[in-house]
């Protein structure tokens, strides 16, 4: 009888524990979205001050949208604590994820292309800074992610050629590297003239801190998924 009582008590604790976890996820998700919004609005304002008649401004703005807003939202929409996607089925989440990431890719590729064109027409050196080199590496992984993303999407159809777990795992890994490199490139961009000429140092420090935190909070679920996938690999 004591064993039954103990078992019932432990079962009663599980829902309470899950409720606390869901509440914490919701809180951190809200904080994450606030920081995303602050950085995007703040940088958009700086772009407006700098002038959208300049190609470099569009480079900053489009890469901000691609990485900091759209890619992040495409990642966190799978989280149980993410408010706007909670009601979606997993199938719908996958569809929305693809739509968001395709637009994000378009923004990033266009933003980087405009910067390359600007430097070419201005006779400036290409990929001469840490920011540009990291951005180029992110673009390379972006192309790789797009390819293995298609493989992951059609994993069932391709299972005779490659096991679904491998195609999905490769997508998780390459997309994580792409996202981290893209966010690091944004962090390095905070040293550029468009920022320190148009705002105060405290504003730059705030955006840097928020970008670091957004990157970490957004990748917690991905890291957990990759860990679980690695455990499922055949030994």
């Amino acid at each position: 009888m004591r064993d039954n009582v103990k078992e019932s008590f432990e079962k009663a604790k599980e829902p309470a524990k899950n409720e606390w976890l869901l509440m914490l996820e919701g809180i951190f998700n809200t904080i994450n979205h606030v920081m995303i919004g602050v950085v995007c609005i703040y940088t958009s304002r700086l772009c407006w001050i700098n002038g959208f008649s300049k190609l470099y401004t569009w480079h900053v703005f489009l890469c901000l949208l691609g990485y900091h807003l759209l890619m992040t939202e495409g990642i966190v929409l799978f989280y149980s604590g993410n408010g706007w996607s909670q009601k979606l089925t997993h199938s719908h989440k996958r569809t929305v994820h693809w739509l968001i990431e395709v637009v994000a890719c378009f923004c990033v590729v266009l933003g980087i292309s405009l910067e390359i064109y600007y430097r070419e027409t201005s006779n400036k050196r290409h990929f001469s800074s840490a920011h540009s080199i990291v951005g180029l590496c992110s673009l390379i992984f972006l192309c790789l992610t797009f390819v293995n993303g298609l493989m992951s999407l059609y994993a069932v159809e391709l299972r005779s050629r490659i096991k679904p777990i491998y195609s999905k795992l490769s997508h998780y890994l390459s997309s994580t590297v792409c996202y981290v490199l893209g966010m690091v490139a944004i962090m390095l961009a905070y040293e550029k003239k468009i920022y320190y000429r148009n705002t105060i140092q405290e504003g730059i420090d705030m955006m840097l801190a928020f970008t670091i935190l957004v990157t970490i909070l957004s990748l917690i679920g991905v890291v957990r998924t990759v860990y679980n996938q690695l455990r499922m690999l055949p030994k």
Side-chain angles (χ1 to χ4, degrees):
M1 183 175 179
R2 286 182 179 179
D3 292 338
N4 292 336
V5 172
K6 184 178 179 181
E7 185 178 346
S8 300
F9 179 71
E10 289 178 351
K11 287 182 178 180
K13 287 173 65 178
E14 284 299 320
K17 183 179 178 181
N18 291 334
E19 286 180 11
W20 275 102
L21 287 174
L22 287 173
M23 186 176 70
L24 285 174
E25 283 186 1
I27 291 172
F28 282 117
N29 182 71
T30 301
I31 294 172
N32 196 25
H33 276 89
V34 169
M35 292 189 293
I36 293 169
V38 168
V39 172
C40 289
I41 293 171
Y42 201 101
T43 304
S44 297
R45 175 179 171 273
L46 297 183
C47 289
W48 179 266
I49 294 172
N50 200 60
F52 279 102
S53 59
K54 302 174 183 177
L55 287 178
Y56 180 72
T57 302
W58 281 104
H59 165 69
V60 174
F61 182 70
L62 288 170
C63 289
L64 171 80
L65 288 182
Y67 285 115
H68 211 294
L69 178 62
L70 295 174
M71 279 195 191
T72 303
E73 290 296 337
I75 293 171
V76 301
L77 75 86
F78 288 107
Y79 295 176
S80 57
N82 192 54
W84 66 267
S85 61
Q86 278 183 336
K87 302 296 183 181
L88 298 177
T89 64
H90 185 73
S91 176
H92 288 156
K93 285 181 179 180
R94 287 180 61 190
T95 302
V96 175
H97 169 78
W98 263 99
L99 291 173
I100 291 176
E101 297 302 345
V102 166
V103 177
C105 290
F106 175 77
C107 289
V108 170
V109 172
L110 180 58
I112 294 176
S113 299
L114 288 175
E115 177 63 9
I116 292 174
Y117 174 77
Y118 165 71
R119 287 187 169 274
E120 186 67 31
T121 55
S122 303
N123 293 320
K124 293 186 176 182
R125 290 176 59 194
H126 293 286
F127 310 111
S128 57
S129 65
H131 162 74
S132 58
I133 293 172
V134 172
L136 175 62
C137 292
S138 178
L139 180 62
I140 293 171
F141 274 95
L142 179 64
C143 297
L144 178 61
T145 299
F146 195 82
V147 172
N148 59 34
L150 287 171
M151 292 171 58
S152 177
L153 183 65
Y154 296 102
V156 176
E157 291 81 357
L158 296 171
R159 65 181 180 273
S160 60
R161 296 178 178 271
I162 181 172
K163 291 183 178 180
I165 190 171
Y166 290 126
S167 58
K168 291 181 180 180
L169 184 58
S170 65
H171 180 62
Y172 292 144
L173 292 173
S174 64
S175 60
T176 300
V177 174
C178 169
Y179 177 69
V180 170
L181 289 174
M183 295 297 271
V184 170
I186 289 177
M187 296 174 204
L188 293 171
Y190 293 145
E191 301 175 355
K192 300 294 183 179
K193 293 179 182 178
I194 188 174
Y195 289 98
Y196 68 75
R197 281 187 176 179
N198 295 311
T199 188
I200 57 177
Q201 184 61 43
E202 288 78 6
I204 296 174
D205 293 340
M206 176 196 69
M207 288 191 292
L208 177 60
F210 281 8
T211 303
I212 293 172
L213 289 172
V214 165
T215 305
I216 294 171
L217 289 175
S218 300
L219 288 178
I220 291 175
V222 177
V223 172
R224 186 168 53 194
T225 301
V226 170
Y227 174 73
N228 291 332
Q229 291 279 350
L230 289 173
R231 290 179 60 190
M232 293 171 60
L233 289 176
K235 298 180 181 179

